[in-house]
Amino acid sequence: MRTLISSAFISLDGVVEAPGGEPGYRNSGWTFKDVEFLPEAFEIKSREQKEASAILLGRTSYEAFSPVWPDMEDFADYKLMPKYVVSTTLTEDELVTNWGATTILRSLDEVAALKETEGGPIIMHGSATLNRNLSDAGLIDRYHLLVFPLLLGAGKRLFSGSDKDTQKLKLVEQEAYANGLQKQVFDVVR
């Protein structure tokens, strides 16, 4: 079974919306506007590219990343990696052609089936709605969180507000940085 890793920039109060400057959110760009950049705090991002064997995205994140990431040197390792987009509305003709093989998955059941295939870890970036749904379905195995020392108030959250049984996590890696960022890596305990 493949490991599904959720990777997120998250504020201390749980907001994940528009960390890179995506339009339409009041605090858009909060990861680089409000916290001093320290390269060592982002080491996990390059490690994710080396360790992952596929990328999973929701439609909104795919539409934000696919016009930009294929030509960015910072994301070069992702270019040829297989990509999977979970969407009930995206069509094949809307996929970019310069970012390697991309498969559209139409349901969480298809994500569960993908996890049953041979291969290494699958990394999921962004995709707040998809993250909440996968978490509620018990399909996420690990969380890579870069927690920013910010309270953003309103905004899309990483975790749902669903009433559900307690989900235990095991902290397997952590580090705090001089700019207040914290790296927290959790395995889901089954």
Side-chain angles (χ1 to χ4, degrees), residues 5 44 47-48 142-146 169-175 182-188:
I5 301 167
I44 195 167
R47 185 172 12 135
E48 288 170 347
R142 177 174 272 200
Y143 292 94
H144 289 183
L145 305 177
L146 278 180
L169 304 175
K170 178 183 178 187
L171 183 65
V172 295
E173 184 179 344
Q174 67 179 345
E175 192 160 350
Q182 296 177 42
K183 173 178 60 182
Q184 299 176 353
V185 177
F186 292 97
D187 281 343
V188 174

Side-chain angles (χ1 to χ4, degrees), residues 5-9 38-52 74-75 77-78 123 125 142-148 172-175 177 181-186:
I5 301 167
S6 171
S7 178
F9 294 146
L38 293 178
E40 60 270 23
F42 295 89
E43 169 277 332
I44 195 167
K45 301 323 245 168
S46 60
R47 185 172 12 135
E48 288 170 347
Q49 287 186 67
K50 301 294 185 209
E51 294 175 356
D74 287 346
F75 301 109
D77 290 329
Y78 286 147
I123 192 82
H125 292 284
R142 177 174 272 200
Y143 292 94
H144 289 183
L145 305 177
L146 278 180
V147 183
F148 284 72
V172 295
E173 184 179 344
Q174 67 179 345
E175 192 160 350
Y177 302 94
L181 266 173
Q182 296 177 42
K183 173 178 60 182
Q184 299 176 353
V185 177
F186 292 97

Side-chain angles (χ1 to χ4, degrees), residues 121-187:
I122 303 164
I123 192 82
M124 178 175 52
H125 292 284
S127 308
T129 301
L130 178 60
N131 190 95
R132 290 190 298 273
N133 292 333
L134 291 170
S135 178
D136 285 351
L139 292 173
I140 296 176
D141 303 296
R142 177 174 272 200
Y143 292 94
H144 289 183
L145 305 177
L146 278 180
V147 183
F148 284 72
L150 302 169
L151 299 175
L152 299 175
K156 291 180 186 175
R157 307 269 183 218
L158 186 64
F159 302 103
S160 79
S162 299
D163 184 16
K164 59 184 180 181
D165 291 338
T166 300
Q167 176 65 71
K168 186 170 167 83
L169 304 175
K170 178 183 178 187
L171 183 65
V172 295
E173 184 179 344
Q174 67 179 345
E175 192 160 350
Y177 302 94
N179 62 358
L181 266 173
Q182 296 177 42
K183 173 178 60 182
Q184 299 176 353
V185 177
F186 292 97
D187 281 343

Side-chain angles (χ1 to χ4, degrees), residues 78-148:
Y78 286 147
K79 187 154 186 163
L80 297 177
M81 196 177 291
K83 284 141 210 80
Y84 298 89
V85 183
V86 181
S87 174
T88 58
T89 59
L90 191 69
T91 61
E92 294 287 333
D93 63 326
E94 293 175 294
L95 298 175
V96 298
T97 58
N98 64 334
W99 204 22
T102 303
T103 302
I104 300 171
L105 305 177
R106 298 293 182 194
S107 68
L108 296 185
D109 287 339
E110 289 186 28
V111 175
L114 173 63
K115 286 186 61 177
E116 295 293 332
T117 62
E118 293 294 319
I122 303 164
I123 192 82
M124 178 175 52
H125 292 284
S127 308
T129 301
L130 178 60
N131 190 95
R132 290 190 298 273
N133 292 333
L134 291 170
S135 178
D136 285 351
L139 292 173
I140 296 176
D141 303 296
R142 177 174 272 200
Y143 292 94
H144 289 183
L145 305 177
L146 278 180
V147 183
F148 284 72

